[in-house]
Amino acid sequence: MTARLLQFLLLVQAAAVGVLAWLFVRANAVPWAVALFWALLCVLALRFLICMNNFVMAWRLGDPGTAVPLAWPARARMLLREFGATMLHSSWLMPRARACMRVYASGAAPPVLLVHGYGCNSGYWSHLIARLDAAGISHGGVDLEPMFASIDDFAPALAQAVERLRAATGAARVTLVAHSMGGLVCRAYLRAFGDDAVARVVTLGTPHHGSRLAALGLGANARQMRRDSGWLRELAAAESSARRARFTSIYTRHDNIVAPYASAELAGARNLAFDGVGHVALGGDAAVLDCLMQEIRHA
């Protein structure tokens, strides 16, 4: 469903490029090649402005007084990398994605189950999958659908994916690696099905205490991710200190979706912060991936 929706949005953008190019040709009598270039540039500029606006909203709706200073060149690099990551994932990797499983005999670490976030699918994990393949670590993915369902409704699908990976590898336990909302899905899964099948949970940019930007999202899951929502409070109340100790929360102090960024800190967990990285770019940042692989190996 998510892949088809992204494919549809790509068609809409392609149609917008065609219409704009036609208007440029009619208005300015320029060659079609030139008109298509400027039309494509307009669509890309709009997407760039949306990406930039996310950073502005995250700063304004977060806690500006706790913002971590970042020099302007570093800010520009962060914005460009986040825009590039967003374009790569939404326009290429995720529209073509299908959850798969790869099993290796090395037993280098517990098998890893990859859990994507809101509005995404298993295509988000392409960079990490390359690392897992190179290390000979078995892994599988799951696509959480329908896109706007309750987070609790995703827990049974995650439970089935865990059991499939355990059966394929013969492992007693798996490591869950989750981005954004996926971390909350993992917590909902543990509440519903227990801890026995899980060695470790590593979350990337997960709004453990919600995000103020979630008020702009669609669906039951977006409502659950609102800042300090009732659902989040009930989820936290159901967790023991032993369960929290299984978690590592990796996050960025310049998140353009999780506002405030401190919402990604989980009490009782191992919390690791990075600077100068955007929300989507977390999954492809070399330093973050190094840290993530270390957590996976030590599970």
Side-chain angles (χ1 to χ4, degrees), residues 27 52 88 95 101 200 271 280:
M52 184 168 63
L88 176 65
M101 184 186 301
R200 190 106 187 125
N271 292 287
V280 177

Side-chain angles (χ1 to χ4, degrees), residues 167-178:
T169 60
R173 297 189 297 173
V174 306
T175 296
L176 300 177
V177 175

Side-chain angles (χ1 to χ4, degrees), residues 57-66 207 209-217 222-223 225-229 232 256-263:
M57 287 195 300
W59 178 78
R60 293 182 64 183
L61 295 177
D63 296 324
T66 65
H209 304 283
S211 172
R212 294 190 176 111
L213 268 69
L216 305 176
R223 292 192 294 273
M225 288 189 290
R226 291 179 181 176
R227 181 72 170 154
D228 293 321
S229 69
L232 286 170
N256 53 312
I257 298 297
V258 178
Y261 70 82
S263 180

Side-chain angles (χ1 to χ4, degrees), residues 137-284:
I137 298 175
S138 301
H139 58 85
V142 60
D143 287 325
L144 304 173
E145 295 181 345
M147 184 185 297
F148 302 122
S150 164
I151 293 174
D152 292 306
D153 292 342
F154 296 137
L158 182 53
Q160 293 172 11
V162 167
E163 294 310 311
R164 285 195 300 269
L165 187 58
R166 291 176 66 200
T169 60
R173 297 189 297 173
V174 306
T175 296
L176 300 177
V177 175
H179 176 245
S180 196
M181 180 195 73
L184 300 177
V185 176
C186 292
R187 291 172 64 188
Y189 157 77
L190 293 174
R191 176 172 63 174
F193 295 93
D195 313 75
D196 293 345
V198 176
R200 190 106 187 125
V201 183
V202 186
T203 65
L204 288 180
T206 291
H208 289 294
H209 304 283
S211 172
R212 294 190 176 111
L213 268 69
L216 305 176
L218 302 175
N221 46 3
R223 292 192 294 273
Q224 290 168 325
M225 288 189 290
R226 291 179 181 176
R227 181 72 170 154
D228 293 321
S229 69
W231 184 85
L232 286 170
R233 290 195 297 269
E234 290 174 3
L235 183 65
E239 292 172 334
S240 65
S241 57
R243 178 171 295 172
R244 288 284 183 89
R246 294 173 185 252
F247 278 76
T248 297
S249 177
I250 300 173
Y251 65 96
T252 168
R253 296 192 295 178
H254 296 96
D255 203 302
N256 53 312
I257 298 297
V258 178
Y261 70 82
S263 180
E265 296 178 355
L266 186 63
R270 174 175 163 83
N271 292 287
L272 303 172
F274 285 81
D275 292 334
V277 186
H279 187 76
V280 177
L282 277 169

Side-chain angles (χ1 to χ4, degrees), residues 118-135:
Y118 181 83
C120 297
N121 62 18
S122 54
Y124 178 77
W125 296 109
S126 296
H127 296 92
L128 178 58
I129 285 173
R131 296 264 190 134
L132 294 172
D133 287 337

